[in-house]
Amino acid sequence: MVAGIADPFVQIQILANRSVVATTTADDLGAFSIRTSPLPDGAYEIAARAVDLNGAASDLSAVRVVTVDTVPPDRPGGVALSRGNGYIGLHWNPGRESDLRGYLVFSKRVGVDLEFEQVTPLVLTSNAFRDTDVTNGEQYQYQVKAVDNAEPD
């Protein structure tokens, strides 16, 4: 959704790669909001312009480049665990997607925690992780999630 303020009653056009993908008209106070139809996967240069009642168009707004990516990466496979004094190590098969950004690891203590919590503060770029925030003798469950470049930080 795009929202903003313009001159009252002007037409607002949203452009993707210089083609109009949505239009709306500002109200009597100049307020507008507009929702575009979903765009197919790909990279887009998004901009806006106003068109007055006489058909004169403004210059394009600043361009913002966005990437639409509705295909999530495959789930990591081949997850293997190793245990040592004060740590649990995880290793998994690396993903092959061209837009793979990395991995997030989540854990929970069996019989104690209800929800998985993220244990990697940042996206990992390797396919291994060592969890040192563990207690010897306790059981843990892990989830590894692959993330691509389209996911926010």
Side-chain angles (χ1 to χ4, degrees):
M1 177 192 286
V2 177
I5 302 291
D7 290 335
F9 305 114
V10 299
Q11 182 186 67
I12 306 300
Q13 297 177 337
I14 305 300
L15 295 88
N17 295 343
R18 299 205 173 262
S19 294
V20 175
V21 293
T23 60
T24 192
T25 301
D27 66 18
D28 60 337
L29 299 175
F32 69 90
S33 65
I34 188 169
R35 185 176 303 276
T36 67
S37 298
L39 296 168
D41 284 6
Y44 296 92
E45 292 182 350
I46 305 294
R49 70 176 167 212
V51 179
D52 69 17
L53 296 173
N54 296 320
S58 69
D59 291 335
L60 289 178
S61 67
V63 173
R64 176 165 285 204
V65 177
V66 297
T67 300
V68 176
D69 179 2
T70 59
V71 179
D74 291 335
R75 294 177 67 169
V79 178
L81 300 175
S82 61
R83 186 174 210 126
N85 186 20
Y87 76 88
I88 297 175
L90 289 86
H91 184 272
W92 53 90
N93 297 333
R96 296 187 177 151
E97 296 85 358
S98 62
D99 66 340
L100 181 68
R101 190 163 111 213
Y103 307 93
L104 297 173
V105 177
F106 302 82
S107 77
K108 72 177 184 177
R109 292 174 294 170
V110 175
V112 177
D113 299 325
L114 297 176
E115 303 287 329
F116 282 91
E117 291 189 24
Q118 185 174 327
V119 294
T120 48
L122 301 172
V123 174
L124 299 174
T125 56
S126 69
N127 60 318
F129 175 72
R130 181 179 271 209
D131 189 358
T132 57
D133 189 19
V134 298
T135 302
N136 290 337
E138 287 199 33
Q139 291 184 324
Y140 295 84
Q141 289 181 320
Y142 289 89
Q143 294 179 341
V144 180
K145 178 184 177 188
V147 294
D148 61 18
N149 291 320
E151 290 199 46
D153 290 330

